[in-house]
Amino acid sequence: MSYLRGFMPWIALAIVSTLGWQWGALAGLVLGAAMLIRARRAGLAADALILECSTVAFFTALTILAFARPDSGLKDYVGALALGWLAVTAWTTLAVGRPFTTGIARRQAPPEVWDTYAFRHINVVITRAWSIAFTLSAAAMVVVVSAGLGVVAALAAQFAGFVLPALFTAWYPGWARSRPAPAAHRA
């Protein structure tokens, strides 16, 4: 569930935006900044806070835009923009070899497993799942908004983009640990 906690600003955006996209953006920024500050005060290193830093960057830009141009056509696509930003963040962390889930997983796993093949591989697979979910949900949101499919369809697309990978995240580590390690990685 700590994975979902990291997405609270994004969930707040989806919910509070029903009152106006400016307020959703501001709620996300306030929550994101508070989470980042709290994590830094708790002593977490910046490399363990990739999602939090990305969240604050996105919500800072979105809040400025939303209050400067409240009538912008982008307001209709804020859900797609948010999921797209998360997709870019997740894919980028994979591309640079630092899956964003690693920092979250290190908060729960003992330090002696951090450098193991299994730990690294599990985080690559889980980050890949989040990346795919964010990408597909962002695309679905563009379709939902463009086709005028309504709030229920938008909420379903956003919900799927968070819940499905969260369920996978809860299930996969246990399954992966129960499997025999490839011969090249046993030790």
Side-chain angles (χ1 to χ4, degrees):
M1 290 310 281
S2 67
Y3 282 93
L4 283 181
R5 224 180 339 226
F7 294 114
M8 289 308 298
W10 304 92
I11 295 167
L13 170 66
I15 294 168
V16 179
S17 285
T18 60
L19 303 174
W21 74 306
Q22 307 93 321
W23 306 114
L26 184 59
L29 176 59
V30 169
L31 272 172
M35 290 171 64
L36 180 59
I37 291 167
R38 189 173 70 197
R40 289 297 289 156
R41 284 186 179 157
L44 291 174
D47 68 340
L49 300 170
I50 294 168
L51 181 62
E52 290 84 350
C53 292
S54 176
T55 296
V56 170
F58 176 83
F59 280 109
T60 298
L62 185 64
T63 301
I64 291 168
L65 174 65
F67 279 99
R69 300 275 324 268
D71 59 339
S72 170
L74 287 177
K75 72 180 176 186
D76 296 331
Y77 292 91
V78 75
L81 288 170
L83 288 160
W85 180 269
L86 286 167
V88 168
T89 298
W91 287 116
T92 301
T93 67
L94 283 171
V96 300
R98 294 189 168 284
F100 83 89
T101 59
T102 303
I104 300 165
R106 284 184 176 170
R107 297 177 207 171
Q108 301 167 23
E112 56 269 13
V113 303
W114 293 357
D115 294 321
T116 65
Y117 169 81
F119 184 81
R120 288 189 307 273
H121 181 72
I122 287 169
N123 279 286
V124 166
V125 171
I126 290 173
T127 298
R128 194 175 297 137
W130 282 100
S131 301
I132 292 166
F134 292 148
T135 302
L136 293 175
S137 292
M141 284 297 296
V142 170
V143 170
V144 165
V145 172
S146 297
L149 299 178
V151 174
V152 172
L155 288 174
Q158 292 178 54
F159 184 78
F162 286 101
V163 172
L164 295 177
L167 292 172
F168 179 77
T169 298
W171 168 80
Y172 182 74
W175 180 85
R177 285 190 299 267
S178 72
R179 311 282 302 157
H185 301 289
R186 288 187 193 124

